[in-house]
Amino acid sequence: MRKKTNSAIRRWMYAMAYTAVSAVVLAGCGNGGNEPAAGDGKLTVTATTGMIADAAAEVGGEHAEVTGLMGSGVDPHLYKASQGDIKKLDNADIIFYNGLHLEGKMAEMFEKMEDKKPTVAVARDLPESALRTDPSGAHDPHIWFDVENWISATEVIRDTFIEKDPANEGDYRAQADAYIAELKKLDDYAAEQIASIPEASRVLVTAHDAFGYFGDAYGIKVMGLQGISTASEYGSKDVSALRDFLVQNQIKAVFVESSVPKKSIEAVIEGASKMGHEVAIGGELFSDALGKAGTSEGTYIGMVKHNVDTIVSALK
Amino acid sequence: MTDFWILLTGSLVAACCSILGCFLVLRRMSLIGDAISHSVLPGIVIAFMVSGSRDSIVMLLGASVLGLVTVFLIQLFQQSGVQADASIGVVFTALFAAGVVLVSLNLRNVDLDLDCVLYGEIAHVHWNTWTLHGADMGPKAVWMLGFTLLVIVLVIGLFFKQFKLCAFDPMLAAAVGIPVALFHYLLMGLVSMATVSSFESVGAILVVGMLIIPASAAYLLTDRLGRMILISVAIGIASTVLGYFAAVVLDASIAGCMVCAAALLFVLAFVFSPTHGLLARRLWRRLHSRSV
């Protein structure tokens, strides 16, 4: 009796093993893996965040087909790879990522990829002095909030394109120059607008510390409830300290972010209102991701403008 | 080749986890994988504070130490009379909370999420290759998990009788002179090793799922431990393959699809198992009542 069931089990196991093996073989045939990227002579470019994809598309122009891994509104800390992302990385001629640990563990993979194809951190050329550094030695990865940093990132993107495709060097230089000119205008606009806020009210209160570079560049004090990491919880002391600060300095508005929940900041507003000081929600800022594609906030320049305008109109 | 490496990595994780999962299900400790996935937080925080680096080797080291501490404490509490589920709950919440406190005290501005620094992603395994003297040896994860599987098979294979008796009847095992505590700790050590190395390669959800679901399904299909382990491994590998194809079709998270496939196989076992299945039991009841 036992023998009989044993052989039945064994047969079943063989069947399983057979299915598994044939599935693997089929998979191997199905995708081939090495299909030529973009047959029309365009470079296939894959970028991690929407901001980088936007800059790469501006510089690459008609010579590049750019795809982003992280969609609009996706917090890079919470990005989950899908099966299709493998192909986006496998087929790319050039890969751009932020660096400074924004992509977490993926960075180690990108370093490996460097041997096989141009895989470039756009923060590569930023000097140590331009970076915000934590006492523990870690860098703040949210470099795009200082437009000057983004100009450096654009230059890295431009040089990478030229190295990969020297035939079109002229086009890349022209497109990069045009984009950098716009970024410079944007930089001036941001500085000018923020400076128009009375100095005492120049305080930007948000839920998490993504705006450090913005504050440094444009002279606005930045206060966040939460640390950079979404794993660090805010303490009740943080809430009350922030509340007292708002009340004492008569700050008019605080801001919510597109990729961070509102709840934490609402506790502060409620606390201040109990102490007789009304704080408004000044609007939604884009922090770690761009807005929806097709809207003006769906581009880097549109996003920065939106943030600046929102801040200025609420605090002025 | 990409598909092959992903399927191989998934199958290795499935094999490691579903072998150990059988013992955990029998000992009613299957949530230990989830526990370890949280309790390693202080390990990586301390590793970062000591080294100032977020390299995966350092993180893996910190996590391994905390993984061992976790299973040791769980086993210790359980042996001292705390319920198995309660001791798992106490240890992992306390350790995770300690990690959160450490982050909030010292490292508020460092990105130290487990998701970012420890958990790997199965979609990326084929890029993380291991180079030895300039030669490409294939994905690191395959080597690490292959080694883990080898250790598990060796240890469980050598002491199968002892492990079996300890799982089913620790009293009897002690009576015949088997060092029960030692084997419990040994099993827990294997669990810790398998989960932490798998977290590093493929992320948390796949490991936690593979530790519980295939073994639970196999438990419904047989009453013999040896066979349960074989069926469990077969279900684990089958869900890896099924899940991967679902992920290809849906363009979705690979680990997520694999665990969903395992859950689907579990439901099939739950309904159609010839001995413990829903249908079989209903049929048996009907036959029985008719004969009465």
Side-chain angles (χ1 to χ4, degrees), chain B residues 19-44:
Chain B
I19 294 173
L20 296 174
C22 289
F23 293 96
L24 294 176
V25 165
L26 290 174
R27 292 193 54 203
R28 298 167 189 257
M29 297 182 86
S30 27
L31 274 173
I32 203 160
D34 194 22
I36 295 175
S37 79
H38 286 89
S39 64
V40 293
L41 181 63
I44 67 157

Side-chain angles (χ1 to χ4, degrees), chain A residues 82-84 90 105 108 225, chain B residues 56 108 116 127 200 244 251-252:
Chain A
S82 76
Q83 206 277 337
D90 270 342
K105 230 178 123 67
E108 280 169 34
L225 256 187
Chain B
S56 59
R108 305 197 40 161
C116 296
W127 286 107
E200 210 273 333
Y244 186 65
D251 185 13

Side-chain angles (χ1 to χ4, degrees), chain A residues 2 5-6 9 12-13 16 20 23-24 27 31 77 80-86 89-90 101 104-106 108-109 112-113 116-117 134 136 138-139 209 225-233 238, chain B residues 2-4 6-7 48 54-56 100 103 107-113 115-121 123-124 126-129 131 200 224 227 230 234 238 241 244-245 247-248 251-254:
Chain A
R2 184 184 299 169
T5 38
N6 250 341
I9 298 265
W12 189 68
M13 301 274 296
M16 272 295 188
V24 172
N31 294 341
H77 309 282
K80 288 263 176 282
S82 76
Q83 206 277 337
D85 292 349
I86 298 175
L89 292 170
D90 270 342
H101 224 273
K105 230 178 123 67
M106 279 173 87
E108 280 169 34
M109 169 182 82
K112 290 271 176 190
M113 285 177 167
K116 294 180 181 136
K117 60 176 93 175
D134 182 80
S136 65
H139 297 299
D209 276 349
L225 256 187
Q226 220 178 3
I228 284 186
S229 160
T230 16
S232 80
E233 304 276 329
D238 299 321
Chain B
T2 306
D3 303 289
F4 170 75
I6 291 177
L7 284 168
F48 175 74
R54 282 177 283 192
D55 282 351
S56 59
V100 170
V103 171
L107 303 162
R108 305 197 40 161
N109 294 320
V110 183
D111 198 1
L112 262 188
D113 302 282
D115 262 328
C116 296
V117 296
L118 179 65
Y119 297 162
E121 165 60 57
H124 301 153
H126 69 292
W127 286 107
N128 273 319
T129 51
T131 0
E200 210 273 333
R224 301 175 56 84
R227 213 172 283 167
L230 289 181
V241 175
Y244 186 65
F245 283 94
V248 172
D251 185 13
S253 154
I254 297 169

Side-chain angles (χ1 to χ4, degrees), chain B residues 133-157:
Chain B
H133 303 305
D136 188 349
M137 307 289 288
K140 253 190 276 182
V142 168
W143 286 97
M144 191 158 70
L145 291 167
F147 175 74
T148 310
L149 181 63
L150 188 73
V151 172
I152 291 172
V153 169
L154 274 181
V155 174
I156 300 272

